[in-house]
């Protein structure tokens, strides 16, 4: 799997990154910039478990585009799915990861931009949650800050560090001076392998855990700018997504979720860590 | 000197630092922690310990465990010095586990540490138990910056060093893996001796071997696989096992055996641990993995991790029991690093704390 000569899943695709779950390939599909995500089998785990997980995650990934489309959250359009081989070919979204955007804005001392990106994250996550879904892996690497309309490199790009650097350069060039001149950043969500429609009885708990995972991702990846997560949560709570009178999209449901987040946090703190 | 007693083991270890000029041939014999990084050598001189084994069907309770530690710690300290051929006057500092752990046992060992420090007239150094595991692992392997999978009775964490601290990238959101194994073992009546997790490992291996001999694929009793980002949940697995698993095992019409349940438990839980570790590797770019904590002794976990690691071109070190299992030398190892960077703990601050997160410690020796 680390072999550089691993065969591309489609002709003309080149290896972008070796993620935890699989390989990310970049190329073109029917003339459009595309990403091929390949979840290969893991030799360390039992065959049946491996097949089940690969299938589950590939299906979840492929479904996300329509699910998200229905609720107005941008996600990559799916071009091709092959469940048996764990392959999903999708639209390559132009932009940089939210992780990169926050780190760069923070490094440049652009607090306004950090806050704008963070707020956009909070609002997007609220919309996903209000619709009864949980993402399952809410890290800032799984969110793309879309390049402004009419240009911009696709996130990732050719291969490895060079591509990342090119992406950064493109982002830097595109970023409006002061960071917020062209209005709120537009975000997209990716990496839906662990996403699911939460069971009604588990909704608050699942959302609480989803937020907890996000909080921990922020505190480990963006340890030096804690204000980012605060802004995210403020926007989450204040999102227009919570406008229904009752049900999962209500303010009441949001409040229940936030108190579940407290509970999940408390579980973490209470856990006695010995042995 | 390091004194550990945060759970059911009590140990006293001695670690010596030898500056570069004097460090001749490395003494890699029995204690085996020759770390040489061009900046001298750390060497474990002695490391005796005792384990409190609770009665069958029971976990260890704070009070009995504290009594056990109180009874053994003076003799262990003496033995540690004797084995090393040293006396109290040779000590430079006494390190002790401040937490996390069980209050009463921690307290007993802290009192012992204060007494010894005062007798020897040397300063004390408070140590975080988890950091002790990590630093001992780094000392043994000589690996600079590994991803650490910390799996024990009370802990399930994936840790990476970042910006001055050991950061917890992933962890269990409910129960710890060792706790899950122990409670399952108790529910199905596997003995606590030598350790419940060990008996699960043996039973699972037996089932896998039987299947291999028969040329069949082992059955995988269905358990909820639950990974959330880099965190995981184990509570569902335990309740499924103690409810449906035990029922199936007792049902004469069902082929499910205790060995099969042990097998499924290990396959499922370990796959989750490895998945989150692999995510942390992908995130941090680190190539090497250190498994620490009591569950790290599990050979099957080490094997599975090895398979994942070799696919990524990395290395894995499942520590042997001398270091994976709680002991005094690991506390001395973390303590000596802090001590060499000017840290001592004034007597009035040598209190203990049951909750003490790894990521609250300033790892000044790494900065
Ligand atoms: N549709 C897409 N458009 C643009 N960039 C993408 C797209 N899909 C993936 N990427 C890039 O590839 C990276 C990895 O993708 P993704 O998160 O889906 O894979 P992964 O293997 O699940 O990664 P991990 O397990 O590390 O989260 C993303 O962080 C992003 O930079
Ligand atoms: Mg991802």
């Amino acid at each position: 799997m680390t072999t550089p000569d691993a065969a591309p899943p489609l002709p003309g695709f080149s290896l972008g990154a070796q993620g935890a779950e699989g390989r990310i390939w970049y190329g073109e599909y029917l003339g459009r910039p595309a990403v091929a995500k390949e979840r290969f089998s893991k030799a360390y785990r039992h065959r049946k478990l491996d097949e089940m997980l690969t299938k589950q995650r590939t299906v979840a990934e492929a479904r996300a585009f329509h699910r998200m489309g229905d609720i107005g959250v941008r996600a990559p359009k799916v071009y091709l799915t092959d469940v048996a081989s764990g392959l999903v070919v999708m639209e390559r979204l132009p932009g940089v990861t939210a992780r990169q955007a926050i780190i760069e804005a923070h490094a440049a001392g652009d607090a306004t931009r950090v806050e704008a990106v963070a707020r956009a994250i909070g609002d997007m996550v609220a919309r996903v949650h209000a619709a009864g879904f949980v993402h399952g892996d809410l890290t800032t690497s799984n969110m793309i800050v879309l390049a402004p309309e009419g240009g911009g490199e696709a996130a990732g790009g050719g291969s490895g560090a060079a591509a990342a650097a090119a992406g950064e350069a493109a982002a830097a060039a595109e970023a409006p001076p002061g960071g917020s001149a062209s209005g709120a950043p537009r975000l997209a969500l990716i990496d839906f392998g662990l996403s699911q429609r939460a069971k009604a009885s588990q909704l608050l708990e699942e959302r609480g855990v989803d937020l907890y995972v996000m909080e921990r991702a922020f505190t480990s990846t963006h340890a030096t700018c804690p204000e980012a997560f605060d802004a995210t949560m403020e926007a989450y709570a204040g999102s227009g997504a919570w406008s229904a009178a009752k049900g999962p999209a209500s303010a009441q449901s949001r409040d229940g979720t936030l108190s579940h987040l407290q509970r999940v946090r408390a579980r973490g703190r209470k856990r006695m860590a010995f042995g | 000197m390091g004194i550990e007693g945060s759970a059911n083991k009590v140990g006293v270890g001695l670690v010596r630092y030898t500056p570069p000029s004097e460090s001749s041939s490395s003494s890699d014999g029995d204690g085996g922690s020759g770390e040489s990084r061009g900046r001298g050598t750390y060497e474990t001189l002695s490391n005796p310990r005792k384990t409190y084994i609770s009665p069958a069907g029971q976990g260890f309770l704070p009070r009995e465990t504290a009594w056990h530690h109180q009874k053994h710690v003076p003799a262990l300290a003496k033995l540690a010095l004797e084995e090393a051929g040293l006396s109290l006057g040779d000590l430079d500092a006494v390190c002790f586990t401040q937490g996390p752990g069980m209050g009463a046992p921690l307290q007993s060992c802290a009192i012992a540490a204060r007494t010894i420090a005062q007798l020897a007239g040397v300063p004390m150094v408070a140590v975080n138990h988890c950091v002790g595991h990590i630093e001992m692992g780094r000392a043994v392997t000589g690996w600079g910056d590994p991803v650490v999978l910390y799996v024990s009775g009370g802990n399930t964490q994936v840790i990476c060093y970042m910006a001055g601290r050991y950061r917890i990238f992933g962890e269990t959101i409910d129960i710890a893996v060792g706790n899950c194994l122990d409670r399952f073992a108790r529910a199905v009546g596997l003995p606590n001796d030598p350790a419940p997790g060990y008996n699960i490992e043996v039973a699972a291996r037996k089932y896998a071997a039987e299947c291999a001999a028969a040329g069949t694929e082992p059955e995988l009793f269905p358990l909820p696989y639950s990974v959330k980002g880099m965190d995981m949940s184990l509570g569902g697995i335990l309740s499924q096992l103690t409810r449906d698993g035990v029922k199936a095992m007792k049902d004469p019409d069902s082929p499910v055996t205790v060995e099969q349940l042990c097998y499924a438990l290990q396959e499922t839980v370990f796959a989750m641990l490895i998945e989150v570790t692999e995510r942390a590797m992908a995130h941090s770019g680190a190539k090497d993995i250190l498994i620490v904590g009591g569950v790290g002794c599990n050979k099957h976990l080490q094997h599975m991790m090895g398979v994942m690691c070799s696919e990524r071109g990395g290395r894995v070190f499942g520590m042997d029991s001398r270091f994976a299992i709680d002991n005094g030398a690991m506390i001395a190892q973390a303590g000596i690093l802090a001590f060499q960077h000017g840290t001592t703990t004034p007597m009035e601050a040598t209190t203990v704390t049951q909750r003490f997160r790894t990521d609250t410690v300033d790892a000044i020796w790494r900065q």
Side-chain angles (χ1 to χ4, degrees):
Chain A
M1 107 185 197
T2 40
T3 45
D5 49 307
L10 293 173
F13 274 65
S14 60
L15 189 59
Q18 169 84 50
E21 263 200 280
R23 297 186 195 95
I24 297 286
W25 302 82
Y26 295 107
E28 284 203 346
Y29 186 80
L30 301 179
R32 284 168 293 191
V35 172
K37 187 166 173 178
E38 195 184 19
R39 292 186 161 82
F40 40 80
S41 94
K42 302 278 183 187
Y44 65 79
R45 62 192 175 201
H46 190 284
R47 186 186 58 85
K48 284 208 175 124
L49 181 61
D50 188 62
E51 283 175 10
M52 186 199 70
L53 292 174
T54 304
K55 186 174 160 202
Q56 236 175 39
R57 291 170 182 186
T58 307
V59 168
E61 184 103 64
R63 262 189 203 150
F65 171 64
H66 289 291
R67 287 181 159 179
M68 293 300 111
D70 290 346
I71 60 170
V73 169
R74 186 92 153 85
K77 192 175 290 168
V78 174
Y79 296 144
L80 181 79
T81 311
D82 182 14
V83 174
S85 64
L87 180 71
V88 180
V89 182
M90 63 189 121
E91 167 190 14
R92 182 154 122 208
L93 295 166
V96 296
T97 62
R99 173 192 170 130
Q100 217 175 313
I102 290 174
I103 289 174
E104 276 160 21
H106 183 66
D110 190 347
T112 318
R113 178 72 179 165
V114 170
E115 189 183 334
V117 172
R119 294 196 65 89
I121 292 173
D123 185 61
M124 176 172 74
V125 173
R127 275 181 286 149
V128 173
H129 280 187
F133 296 112
V134 287
H135 179 272
D137 192 9
L138 288 175
T139 68
T140 48
S141 307
N142 289 336
M143 303 161 185
I144 305 277
V145 179
L146 295 167
E149 299 282 314
E153 285 293 302
S159 69
E168 278 166 39
E174 304 274 347
S180 47
S182 76
R186 291 178 315 123
L187 248 71
L189 198 53
I190 61 167
D191 198 358
F192 288 90
L194 299 176
S195 69
Q196 59 182 91
R197 180 183 275 290
K199 272 196 226 130
S201 62
Q202 290 294 310
L203 182 65
L204 301 185
E205 166 73 12
E206 295 277 1
R207 282 177 182 163
V209 170
D210 219 22
L211 292 176
Y212 182 65
V213 166
M214 178 164 78
E215 174 171 19
R216 303 214 331 89
F218 267 90
T219 47
S220 61
T221 309
H222 305 290
T224 53
C225 70
E227 62 278 11
F229 183 70
D230 297 341
T232 295
M233 287 313 292
E234 210 182 283
Y236 178 89
S239 169
W242 309 109
S243 57
K246 53 183 196 306
S250 64
Q252 192 193 355
S253 184
R254 168 202 61 200
D255 295 345
T257 300
L258 293 175
S259 69
H260 260 265
L261 170 61
Q262 299 287 6
R263 234 179 277 180
V264 179
R265 276 191 196 133
R267 267 198 316 250
R269 275 196 301 272
K270 251 202 331 246
R271 220 172 14 249
M272 296 234 291
F274 61 81
Chain B
M1 174 180 279
I3 303 183
E4 154 64 26
S6 61
N8 70 334
K9 298 177 187 65
V10 58
V12 179
L14 294 178
V15 168
R16 177 167 61 197
Y17 172 74
T18 312
S21 52
E22 296 171 43
S23 77
S24 47
S25 60
S26 76
S27 52
D28 228 337
D30 218 23
S33 77
E35 182 196 34
S36 31
R37 250 182 260 144
R39 301 205 301 108
T41 310
Y42 296 92
E43 183 187 346
T44 298
L45 302 177
S46 58
N47 199 13
R49 78 168 162 247
K50 287 265 179 204
T51 301
Y52 172 60
I53 294 176
S54 50
Q58 231 175 268
F60 47 91
L61 300 169
R63 202 161 54 142
E64 283 76 11
T65 310
W67 286 341
H68 171 268
H69 292 5
Q70 286 163 25
K71 193 169 113 201
H72 290 291
V73 76
L76 285 168
K78 251 176 108 178
L79 184 60
L81 287 166
E82 258 170 45
E83 280 182 14
L86 298 176
S87 65
L88 275 182
D90 296 315
L91 297 179
D92 292 303
V94 176
C95 315
F96 72 103
T97 307
Q98 182 155 47
M102 292 163 76
L106 279 171
Q107 186 72 41
S108 305
C109 293
I111 290 169
R114 278 180 219 139
T115 311
I116 295 171
Q118 277 171 329
L119 286 174
V122 296
M124 293 179 71
V125 182
V127 170
N128 175 294
H129 179 83
C130 315
V131 173
H133 276 296
I134 297 171
E135 290 308 338
M136 195 50 156
R138 292 179 65 238
V140 171
T141 56
W143 294 350
D145 198 12
V147 170
V148 179
L149 175 65
Y150 179 24
V151 277
S152 66
N155 269 301
T156 307
Q157 299 182 336
V158 183
I159 299 164
C160 302
Y161 175 79
M162 222 176 77
R165 293 187 177 194
Y166 286 109
R167 313 261 169 200
I168 302 168
F169 272 49
E171 64 181 320
T172 174
I173 58 164
D174 42 41
I175 57 173
V177 57
N179 192 251
C180 178
L181 295 174
D182 292 0
R183 283 161 68 180
F184 166 74
R186 254 170 250 140
V188 295
L190 287 173
N192 283 342
D193 194 13
Y198 178 76
N199 294 317
I200 292 174
E201 182 180 358
V202 169
R205 192 184 307 135
K206 179 165 166 255
Y207 176 60
E210 280 167 14
C211 293
T216 57
E217 180 174 73
E219 288 293 328
L220 194 62
F221 186 83
L223 296 172
Y225 186 100
S226 180
V227 163
K228 331 230 169 208
M230 277 188 257
D231 290 341
M232 70 211 108
S233 153
L234 300 167
I237 291 180
L238 182 64
S239 56
Q240 176 95 337
L241 275 171
T242 51
R243 201 183 47 226
D244 301 356
V246 170
K247 204 189 289 165
M249 190 181 101
K250 289 187 173 152
D251 180 354
D253 296 329
S254 142
V256 174
T257 61
V258 68
E259 286 84 8
Q260 265 183 40
L261 294 180
C262 291
Y263 175 83
L265 171 60
Q266 287 201 155
E267 289 300 315
T268 310
V269 169
F270 294 172
M272 287 163 56
L273 292 174
I274 288 163
E275 176 168 8
V276 296
T277 307
E278 191 171 14
R279 277 168 183 258
M281 284 173 91
H283 254 247
S284 67
K287 284 266 175 233
D288 299 327
I289 295 179
L290 206 59
I291 311 179
V292 305
V295 182
C297 298
N298 189 298
K299 293 277 188 302
H300 191 57
L301 174 62
Q302 292 175 14
H303 167 76
M304 288 170 71
M305 191 66 89
V307 173
M308 182 276 278
C309 242
S310 65
E311 284 180 341
R312 295 193 77 87
R315 299 177 291 181
V316 58
F317 202 99
M319 303 176 81
D320 69 41
S321 63
R322 284 171 302 180
F323 302 115
I325 296 184
D326 296 352
N327 65 82
M330 70 183 217
I331 301 306
Q333 180 62 45
I336 200 172
L337 292 171
F339 182 66
Q340 289 176 310
H341 286 78
T343 305
T344 56
T345 309
M347 192 64 66
E348 62 275 15
T350 58
T351 49
V352 298
T353 168
Q354 302 200 70
R355 285 160 210 149
F356 187 2
R357 280 177 72 83
T358 320
D359 55 7
T360 58
V361 177
D362 254 322
I364 45 165
W365 56 93
R366 298 229 23 203
Q367 291 163 18

